Amino acid sequence: MDYSASNPGMWSLIITLGILAISLGVALAMREKLPFIRRAMMPTAVLAGFILLFLKELHILTLNTDILEMLVYHTIAMGFIAMSLRKALRPKGEDGRRTGRLTGLKSGAIIVGSYLTQAFVGLIISMILASFMPSVFQASGLLLPMGFGQGPGQANNIGSTYESMGFEGGRSYGLAIAAAGYLCACTVGVFILHHWSRNPMPSVYRKLDSLNTENNVSMFQSSNEIPVSDSIDRFSVQFILVLGVYLLTYLVTWGLTSLLTLISPTLGKTLNTLLWGFNFIIGSALALLVGKILDSLNSKGIVKKQYQNNYLLNRLSGLFFDLMITAGIASISIQDISGLWFPFLLSIVSGAMATWLFLKWACRHAYPDYQREGLISMYGMLTGTIGSGILLLRELDPSLETPAANNLVIGSSYGIVLGAPMLIFVSLAARSTTMCLITFAMVIIYWLFLSLIIRRPETKR
């Protein structure tokens, strides 16, 4: 093998990781030394991402976009696997009862309800503008929930489909919305966090966290864990668990997609992208299953020691999310925003405002014990990605003690089922003006149905 610089396959990943590491170090130094950045509560990973984006757009630095996108994809999944492997205490409310049984379903309804809110706003704008601007595709408003709510993957796919149906530049338009949504999640989210820092709200979970941290030993390890002086480093064990579950995630996803394709090639083609795109949900579910199996083996005495360490798993997930956020921002292409400036700007501004107002209402009903944590994490995810939701949440809840982070994963699982009608809406709206109006009515009706789920009284465990 050629180990020299003439073999790009040998060094490209290492060079990209090195650039990400240096940008994080520079951003950390800037946050420490520049008071205005510190006061703005600009997270280090976000600042590092914008530094790289700025240098890339000025052609000062060349970045391998394929590797950046690959890192974003893999680190999201591994970050959530690390979180799901934790043996965290299940938080309780002020009355000491367990969190509600309907929280997962409500989280899914909030996610899909946000898609519908964005679709409602987007369709109003695109249908009105299409009546006197021939360059505007009447169904292009549905690219708002695809880009904001579901991210660049779906925005790219649906945009390409609309492009084949006559929307010139549909793919670029969808990707531009996804990029703008991510920037909105970071900038608006940081502004909101800065505002909240002046008006702190008491949190049941923050009180619980402060009580738990009094026991300093249990914070770093439990009594039954493998010893520090064991033949393998404890951090290595956490890494083994995470990578092992991620390999299992790959095998399970590959098996499912292969089986579906064997049963029905059309169905397999439809669900293939969905399953691989949401591999972090499969990974989280498998991590929970592996944790349950280890607990069962431990209780039966087959496995003598506890191998998960909550503190190290938190640090590991933090590392993955920091890399994901920095790489995600750096991979944005400003050139995707080409033409259609007026509908584009009107859509993203209106969509961001409508999403915030809807989530503010929904989270007040669904997450009464941690409204701000639930609101900021959902807003970050539903304008950007799950990673940006975690990013904003960590500023309020550094140790992820509230259920807000888990709600993003569990809610996304429910959201796959509840969001299935969105695929019908996207397909119907592009067929004709009449079908676009029918789709608009269906969006409203389905939104009203999901609002009933969100407002349903919670039962406590």
Side-chain angles (χ1 to χ4, degrees):
M1 177 180 282
D2 181 6
Y3 297 108
S4 70
S6 60
N7 182 3
M10 181 75 183
W11 290 102
S12 294
L13 177 60
I14 300 302
I15 290 171
T16 303
L17 286 172
I19 292 172
L20 294 177
I22 291 172
S23 68
L24 283 165
V26 171
L28 180 61
M30 290 175 65
R31 179 162 173 154
E32 291 293 325
K33 298 297 182 180
L34 300 177
F36 72 92
I37 293 180
R38 197 163 55 249
R39 285 195 298 268
M41 296 182 69
M42 175 70 75
T44 301
V46 170
L47 181 57
F50 279 123
I51 290 172
L52 292 179
L53 180 61
F54 179 74
L55 294 175
K56 184 184 73 171
E57 292 301 317
L58 290 180
H59 303 290
I60 297 173
L61 181 66
T62 300
L63 295 172
N64 190 319
T65 305
D66 290 337
I67 291 180
L68 289 175
E69 292 177 356
M70 178 188 69
L71 285 172
V72 172
Y73 178 79
H74 290 309
T75 50
I76 286 177
M78 289 189 288
F80 274 101
I81 287 172
M83 284 176 51
S84 301
L85 283 169
R86 296 179 308 173
K87 292 178 64 65
L89 292 174
R90 294 178 60 193
K92 303 179 183 181
E94 288 181 337
D95 57 1
R97 294 178 296 179
R98 297 295 184 186
T99 53
R101 295 176 182 272
L102 294 177
T103 302
L105 178 61
K106 287 188 174 186
S107 297
I110 288 174
I111 290 171
V112 180
S114 298
Y115 296 164
L116 296 171
T117 301
Q118 293 162 357
F120 175 83
V121 171
L123 280 175
I124 286 180
I125 293 171
S126 64
M127 287 191 297
I128 292 176
L129 293 181
S131 64
F132 60 87
M133 290 179 63
S135 60
V136 176
F137 190 65
Q138 61 183 2
S140 61
L142 287 174
L143 287 174
L144 183 61
M146 296 298 107
F148 266 31
Q150 298 195 16
Q154 285 290 70
N156 178 78
N157 294 341
I158 303 302
S160 298
T161 301
Y162 282 179
E163 200 168 76
S164 67
M165 300 174 74
F167 182 20
E168 187 176 348
R171 178 179 173 275
S172 294
Y173 188 77
L175 287 172
I177 287 179
Y182 197 89
L183 292 173
C184 177
C186 296
T187 55
V188 177
V190 169
F191 173 80
I192 292 166
L193 288 172
H194 183 66
H195 173 71
W196 282 350
S197 67
R198 300 177 182 177
N199 303 282
M201 177 184 287
S203 170
V204 173
Y205 293 88
R206 204 170 291 123
K207 292 176 183 177
L208 179 64
D209 183 36
S210 63
L211 290 174
N212 286 343
T213 54
E214 290 178 5
N215 188 349
N216 292 322
V217 175
S218 62
M219 177 181 176
F220 295 98
Q221 71 173 69
S222 64
S223 57
N224 196 37
E225 286 189 33
I226 57 175
V228 176
S229 59
D230 204 6
S231 59
I232 186 169
D233 187 84
R234 188 180 292 169
F235 186 78
S236 299
V237 174
Q238 314 313 307
F239 206 64
I240 289 169
L241 289 171
V242 171
L243 289 183
V245 171
Y246 197 35
L247 176 59
L248 183 61
T249 301
Y250 167 79
L251 294 174
V252 169
T253 309
W254 173 75
L256 285 173
T257 53
S258 299
L259 180 62
L260 289 171
T261 303
L262 185 64
I263 295 172
S264 170
T266 304
L267 180 63
K269 185 177 180 180
T270 302
L271 296 180
N272 193 306
T273 303
L274 184 67
L275 288 171
W276 286 110
F278 286 91
N279 75 324
F280 66 91
I281 297 176
I282 299 174
S284 297
L286 290 173
L288 291 172
L289 177 62
V290 169
K292 293 289 186 183
I293 292 173
L294 289 174
D295 287 345
S296 177
L297 294 175
N298 190 267
S299 64
K300 294 178 180 179
I302 299 174
V303 175
K304 303 296 183 182
K305 296 293 182 180
Q306 175 185 316
Y307 288 94
Q308 306 103 301
N309 180 282
N310 287 2
Y311 176 77
L312 293 177
L313 286 170
N314 279 334
R315 303 288 68 77
L316 196 54
S317 65
L319 168 64
F320 289 136
F321 288 137
D322 283 336
L323 287 174
M324 178 268 300
I325 292 158
T326 306
I329 296 177
S331 66
I332 291 173
S333 176
I334 303 299
Q335 294 176 353
D336 288 333
I337 306 175
S338 57
L340 298 171
W341 281 103
F342 180 66
F344 170 74
L345 292 174
L346 186 59
S347 294
I348 61 174
V349 172
S350 302
M353 292 175 61
T355 302
W356 174 260
L357 292 174
F358 168 74
L359 289 175
K360 190 173 183 180
W361 168 81
C363 292
R364 186 173 69 249
H365 289 283
Y367 314 130
D369 291 336
Y370 50 101
Q371 290 182 41
R372 286 187 172 180
E373 289 85 352
L375 174 55
I376 200 65
S377 59
M378 281 290 180
Y379 184 75
M381 181 176 76
L382 291 166
T383 52
T385 64
I386 282 190
S388 53
I390 291 291
L391 157 75
L392 296 173
L393 175 62
R394 285 176 63 194
E395 291 296 314
L396 277 186
D397 181 15
S399 299
L400 302 179
E401 291 291 329
T402 67
N406 288 333
N407 289 345
L408 300 183
V409 179
I410 298 171
S412 295
S413 302
Y414 281 95
I416 291 176
V417 178
L418 294 175
M422 287 296 297
L423 299 176
I424 301 174
F425 299 159
V426 167
S427 175
L428 287 178
R431 297 180 184 274
S432 66
T433 301
T434 301
M435 295 308 297
C436 199
L437 290 171
I438 292 174
T439 300
F440 184 73
M442 293 169 67
V443 165
I444 296 174
I445 293 170
Y446 195 41
W447 185 93
L448 291 172
F449 168 72
L450 293 178
S451 69
L452 296 177
I453 296 178
I454 295 169
R455 296 191 61 179
R456 182 176 177 179
E458 185 66 271
T459 56
K460 300 287 185 177
R461 291 180 182 178

